[in-house]
């Protein structure tokens, strides 16, 4: 559904512990460069990310990715529609880099996956690390493996959960550049409270506060709302 926006949220509500963590969020993300979801801790960013990924069920509203309603997708189709890169990477410690990235494509029986993964490894600088295991990698290298794994299924949308949280400033800057370079492969949505990092990779986005969108547009406008 190439003519459909990568992400549409309509009336999204999530209630946790009797409190509205997401309060009737309406949002349409058109195709383009990485899109930021910024805001302080407790603003609803992670809840929003999990709802978009189909990992939690909102109490009201609809999430559509490339025109497909996420809640109605079978698990395999959802995995091929929405990718996610977790803050702690969630790599399998006993598997090599190659096996971590190839696991889902093999399970799904995707044709051409080995060639696609080789291309990803070249783009991400992972070719020389392909036989290492996660404990042999730096934080930045683990992040790249997690990105390769998310892209291996060629999803329409890839979500990033606080991707700069465990990285030093140099690696953070490298990651921001990498997201810009790779953004033509899928629509990236970056959830973060790190405004410096977001400035480096996301020219547009929204700010959440208390479960509501309080600013939307160019990142400079959102930074203004952050009080910077």
């Amino acid at each position: 559904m190439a003519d459909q926006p990568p992400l549409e949220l309509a009336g999204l509500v999530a209630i946790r512990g009797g409190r509205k963590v997401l309060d009737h969020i309406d949002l349409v993300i058109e195709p383009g460069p990485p899109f930021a979801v910024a805001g302080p801790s407790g603003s609803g960013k992670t809840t929003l990310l999990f709802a978009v990924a189909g990992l939690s069920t909102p109490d009201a509203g609809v999430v559509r990715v490339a025109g497909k309603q996420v809640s109605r997708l079978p698990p395999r189709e959802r995995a091929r529609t929405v990718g996610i890169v977790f803050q702690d990477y969630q790599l399998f410690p006993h598997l090599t880099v190659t096996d971590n990235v190839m696991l889902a494509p093999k399970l799904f029986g995707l044709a051409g996956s080995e060639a696609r993964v080789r291309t990803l490894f070249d783009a991400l600088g992972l070719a020389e690390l392909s036989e290492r295991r996660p404990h042999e990698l730096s934080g930045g290298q683990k992040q790249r493996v997690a990105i390769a794994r998310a892209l291996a299924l060629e999803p329409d949308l890839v979500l990033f959960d606080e991707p700069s949280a465990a990285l030093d400033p140099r690696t953070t800057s490298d990651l921001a550049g990498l997201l810009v370079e790779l953004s033509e492969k899928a629509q990236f949505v970056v959830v973060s409270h790190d405004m410096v990092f977001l400035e480096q990779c996301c020219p547009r986005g929204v700010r959440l506060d208390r479960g509501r969108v309080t600013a939307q547009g160019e990142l400079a406008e959102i930074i203004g709302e952050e009080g910077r």
Side-chain angles (χ1 to χ4, degrees):
M1 299 186 180
D3 57 337
Q4 298 289 337
L7 179 61
E8 296 177 87
L9 308 177
L12 203 64
V13 174
I15 300 172
R16 303 290 183 268
R19 181 174 68 91
K20 279 186 179 178
V21 181
L22 299 177
D23 190 358
H24 294 90
I25 291 182
D26 296 302
L27 177 65
V28 178
I29 297 178
E30 298 293 345
F35 188 96
V37 178
S41 297
S43 61
K45 300 188 305 297
T46 299
T47 302
L48 177 64
L49 181 146
F50 275 63
V52 172
L55 300 177
S56 67
T57 303
D59 292 276
V62 175
V63 177
R64 292 187 181 89
V65 174
K68 294 172 279 192
Q69 189 168 329
V70 170
S71 64
R72 296 180 178 176
L73 295 178
R76 286 197 172 199
E77 187 176 353
R78 188 176 67 215
R80 293 208 61 190
T81 302
V82 186
I84 184 167
V85 178
F86 293 98
Q87 183 176 338
D88 60 357
Y89 318 126
Q90 295 198 8
L91 303 177
F92 292 102
H94 62 290
L95 297 182
T96 66
V97 166
T98 297
D99 289 341
N100 263 284
V101 176
M102 284 294 299
L103 182 61
K106 284 183 176 178
L107 287 174
F108 289 14
L110 297 184
S113 57
E114 291 185 3
R116 183 162 56 251
V117 167
R118 282 196 299 270
T119 300
L120 284 171
F121 278 16
D122 288 340
L124 289 159
L126 293 173
E128 295 182 359
L129 306 175
S130 61
E131 296 308 309
R132 294 190 187 182
R133 287 175 168 75
H135 73 274
E136 300 174 292
L137 304 175
S138 68
Q141 290 167 341
K142 290 177 184 177
Q143 183 76 267
R144 289 169 182 254
V145 176
I147 293 170
R149 184 177 60 183
L151 289 172
L153 292 175
E154 298 188 306
D156 298 292
L157 181 73
V158 178
L159 309 171
F160 292 82
D161 182 19
E162 299 287 356
S164 65
L167 304 180
D168 60 69
R170 174 61 183 274
T171 307
T172 295
S173 180
D174 290 345
L175 174 63
L178 186 63
L179 295 189
V180 173
E181 291 175 16
L182 295 174
S183 59
E184 64 183 28
K185 295 184 179 296
Q187 179 61 59
F188 291 169
V189 173
V190 184
V191 173
S192 180
H193 67 274
D194 183 349
M195 298 303 294
V196 174
F197 172 71
L198 292 177
E199 279 184 279
Q200 295 176 307
C201 61
C202 299
R204 59 188 182 140
V206 296
R207 168 182 161 81
L208 293 186
D209 196 359
R210 299 180 183 179
R212 294 187 175 185
V213 173
T214 58
Q216 180 175 352
E218 295 183 3
L219 198 71
E221 300 173 9
I222 297 170
I223 291 172
E225 291 290 330
E226 286 280 344
R228 294 186 60 220

